[in-house]
Amino acid sequence: MFEDKVGFGSFKHLKLSEYPELKELWYGRLEHNAFRSLKHLVVHKCDFVSDVLFQPNLLEVSMNLEELDVEDCNSLEAVFDLKDEFAKEIVVQNSTQLKKLKLSNLPKLKHVWKKDPHYTMKFENLSDVSVVGCHSLISLFPLSVARDMMQLQSLQVSNCGIDEIVVKEEGTDEMVKFVFPHLTSINLKYLTKLKAFFVGVHSLQCKSLKTIKLFACPTIELFKAEPLRHQESSKNDVLNISTYQPLFVIEEEVLTSVKSTTQFTPGLRELDLWDLPKLKYICKEGFQMDPFLHFLESIDVYQCSSLIKLVPSSVTFSYMTYLEVTSCNGLINLITHSTAKSLVKLTTMKIQRCYWLEDIVNGKEDETNEISFCSLRYLELISLQRLCRFCSCLCPIKFPMLEVVVVKKCPQMKLFSLGVANTPNLQTVEIDEENHWDGDLNQTVKNLFDDKDGFDGLEHLFSL
């Protein structure tokens, strides 16, 4: 046999494109133990691959694989098609060893699993899934596969045609429970059709989640408004995000989901939201997601033009070190006085191109409790056409570590703060490419505005 001659039985790593002569063997009836040691399979630019990569004759091969990397196979329509009578005879409900699955640039790929492998195998060892550039893909996981993925750690999907992550089976009306205890990272990018994780009634538990990156997914409805049909409630030792509270607000509605319950341990560390033009709220006032945001260390919000409020006044950011907000023209105020008081670990703040923003810290004028940005070293305010001041409260503000302040194209900024701003380490302020300092931060900003206002008035006089 060909596989014996070249020793494929002992191969642990195989790059299939290097052996085009394998086509007949790959899709024929393999000898027992062929590729028995194969752990890592790379399938790059394999023109001889048919519409399905793993057919039933390759069931035993797929059982032992630990890593699968498929890229640039233009004819591939499905990765696994293992459900038939022949497959059932070989193995029933055994688990594959597959840990890492990477699929890239497969233009005709419609299914990862052509049929739900109910009776054939489980994929309970999957820990890392990355799917990129599969524009014909409608959904990612069959229901039985998603239910078994207890070891999943990272999920990355970008530039695909999917409208749901997990496909719903016909006749599945009961509550489906998804548990991903080890999932730490969700990265969803440029999924223009994605509407939901799962369209059926379900609960989702991700107690180890640390990072959410959501970029350019304009139709996403992870929590959507529907008539109340199911009133599910539960008490757990993990944070329960109620089915009836908003996570994202799209268009004119608070999007609730009578179909979704999401449970997290409050441990999210990084939240990136980019190019979400319909996003109005991350969460609304009084929403149970507040503790879920408490442990965030980094927030980066970019081009969310409908965003009305960054977070409710009840949210505290005791662990936040990095905050960046860019091109969010729905914002008038960034954070409240109470949220600002919690930012004791913040080291970097960058606010840019938010046209309607009037102040960074908003509160009542009689708010006198001191705010201390204990760790802030770098503050950047750029192209904020309506920004009047950093803080609209009369309270004193301390910046004991502040070293760099950059202010550019903020023509309405008459004063830094209504209260006293204490900046013992600050020696200069960069305003419109020039460095200035007049003894303190408030006086420096005021003098620059007065000088500019006077110059603008003089220029107007001479133009008459």
Side-chain angles (χ1 to χ4, degrees):
M1 291 296 292
F2 179 74
E3 68 269 25
D4 295 328
K5 292 180 181 179
V6 295
F8 283 114
S10 61
F11 272 28
K12 292 185 178 180
H13 183 286
L14 175 62
K15 192 170 184 179
L16 203 57
S17 59
E18 295 177 353
Y19 300 94
E21 61 270 34
L22 269 177
K23 179 178 181 179
E24 291 185 8
L25 175 66
W26 193 259
Y27 291 112
R29 190 166 187 115
L30 294 178
E31 293 295 318
H32 183 61
N33 286 333
F35 304 104
R36 61 185 177 275
S37 301
L38 191 60
K39 300 297 182 183
H40 185 185
L41 177 63
V42 177
V43 187
H44 285 185
K45 296 182 179 179
C46 291
D47 294 333
F48 69 82
V49 170
S50 71
D51 59 330
V52 177
L53 181 60
F54 285 97
Q55 296 180 358
N57 67 306
L58 292 163
L59 181 60
E60 288 185 290
V61 177
S62 63
M63 292 292 294
N64 295 320
L65 271 183
E66 294 181 2
E67 295 184 38
L68 177 60
D69 185 348
V70 186
E71 183 176 348
D72 293 323
C73 296
N74 294 332
S75 61
L76 192 66
E77 296 182 10
V79 178
F80 302 100
D81 184 12
L82 303 171
K83 186 181 178 184
D84 72 355
E85 294 305 317
F86 172 68
K88 289 182 191 179
E89 292 175 3
I90 300 177
V91 60
V92 178
Q93 285 293 304
N94 279 351
S95 179
T96 72
Q97 299 304 307
L98 190 65
K99 297 176 181 178
K100 294 185 178 181
L101 176 62
K102 182 179 179 182
L103 307 174
S104 307
N105 302 322
L106 306 171
K108 292 186 178 181
L109 187 71
K110 297 178 181 178
H111 312 279
V112 181
W113 290 265
K114 191 169 184 178
K115 295 181 180 178
D116 196 322
H118 282 290
Y119 309 105
T120 310
M121 62 174 64
K122 294 183 178 181
F123 288 80
E124 58 188 7
N125 289 304
L126 267 176
S127 62
D128 190 338
V129 177
S130 174
V131 184
V132 178
C134 301
H135 298 288
S136 299
L137 192 63
I138 299 172
S139 62
L140 185 53
F141 301 112
L143 182 56
S144 74
V145 173
R147 278 174 154 169
D148 290 335
M149 293 191 306
M150 299 287 287
Q151 302 303 317
L152 186 65
Q153 297 177 20
S154 174
L155 175 62
Q156 176 179 337
V157 189
S158 66
N159 294 99
C160 293
I162 63 172
D163 53 26
E164 57 187 338
I165 304 296
V166 180
V167 65
K168 183 184 177 184
E169 292 181 341
E170 291 185 10
T172 304
D173 296 321
E174 74 279 4
M175 168 76 78
V176 178
K177 185 177 182 180
F178 298 105
V179 182
F180 306 120
H182 303 289
L183 182 63
T184 60
S185 175
I186 296 176
N187 194 335
L188 306 176
K189 295 182 179 180
Y190 308 108
L191 306 175
T192 59
K193 298 179 181 179
L194 180 64
K195 293 182 179 180
F197 178 83
F198 178 73
V199 297
V201 184
H202 70 283
S203 67
L204 176 62
Q205 295 184 16
C206 311
K207 69 178 185 179
S208 300
L209 192 62
K210 297 291 186 290
T211 301
I212 296 177
K213 294 180 183 287
L214 187 62
F215 297 174
C217 301
T219 62
I220 194 165
E221 294 180 298
L222 291 177
F223 296 78
K224 63 181 182 179
E226 290 188 355
L228 184 62
R229 290 195 302 266
H230 301 273
Q231 296 195 12
E232 301 283 344
S233 62
S234 60
K235 294 181 180 179
N236 293 280
D237 57 354
V238 293
L239 176 65
N240 177 56
I241 297 179
S242 168
T243 56
Y244 317 116
Q245 299 282 0
L247 176 60
F248 296 120
V249 176
I250 299 176
E251 296 175 347
E252 299 301 321
E253 293 185 273
V254 174
L255 290 186
T256 61
S257 177
V258 300
K259 287 194 170 185
S260 305
T261 301
T262 307
Q263 300 170 345
F264 301 91
T265 292
L268 188 68
R269 297 294 186 262
E270 181 180 357
L271 179 63
D272 293 349
L273 304 173
W274 286 27
D275 293 310
L276 304 172
K278 295 182 180 180
L279 179 68
K280 286 188 176 181
Y281 303 97
I282 296 174
C283 65
K284 293 194 73 177
E285 198 77 44
F287 184 33
Q288 296 177 20
M289 198 175 175
D290 292 1
F292 174 63
L293 300 173
H294 176 75
F295 289 90
L296 275 172
E297 296 174 0
S298 172
I299 290 184
D300 186 357
V301 185
Y302 175 74
Q303 282 194 317
C304 297
S305 56
S306 298
L307 190 66
I308 294 173
K309 181 177 287 189
L310 185 65
V311 290
S313 59
S314 56
V315 171
T316 57
F317 286 131
S318 302
Y319 298 87
M320 181 76 64
T321 62
Y322 185 90
L323 173 61
E324 182 169 359
V325 180
T326 305
S327 299
C328 295
N329 291 328
L331 289 172
I332 296 176
N333 318 114
L334 188 67
I335 55 175
T336 62
H337 177 275
S338 58
T339 300
K341 286 181 65 178
S342 72
L343 290 168
V344 293
K345 292 188 178 182
L346 187 69
T347 62
T348 302
M349 179 186 291
K350 297 180 180 182
I351 315 299
Q352 305 175 45
R353 301 194 298 278
C354 299
Y355 183 81
W356 293 99
L357 193 67
E358 295 179 358
D359 53 37
I360 305 301
V361 179
N362 179 258
K364 299 176 182 178
E365 289 194 3
D366 60 355
E367 198 93 55
T368 56
N369 291 332
E370 177 185 283
I371 299 174
S372 182
F373 289 91
C374 303
S375 305
L376 190 66
R377 294 178 180 271
Y378 185 93
L379 174 62
E380 182 177 284
L381 307 172
I382 296 178
S383 295
L384 306 172
Q385 299 298 316
R386 296 176 181 266
L387 186 72
C388 297
R389 59 190 69 88
F390 179 86
C391 180
S392 62
C393 309
L394 287 170
C395 63
I397 306 182
K398 290 185 177 181
F399 299 91
M401 306 296 290
L402 190 61
E403 297 174 347
V404 178
V405 175
V406 178
V407 181
K408 296 180 182 179
K409 298 181 181 179
C410 300
Q412 303 300 319
M413 195 171 184
K414 302 178 181 180
L415 198 66
F416 184 81
S417 175
L418 291 179
V420 176
N422 188 307
T423 58
N425 284 343
L426 191 64
Q427 301 298 320
T428 187
V429 179
E430 183 185 330
I431 300 179
D432 294 330
E433 311 295 345
E434 295 182 358
N435 292 326
H436 302 271
W437 189 246
D438 293 322
D440 67 66
L441 185 54
N442 256 336
Q443 194 63 45
T444 301
V445 173
K446 182 179 184 301
N447 289 349
L448 261 293
F449 180 84
D450 290 343
D451 290 347
K452 182 181 182 303
D453 201 37
F455 177 79
D456 289 346
L458 189 63
E459 187 179 55
H460 175 71
L461 181 65
F462 277 105
S463 68
L464 295 176

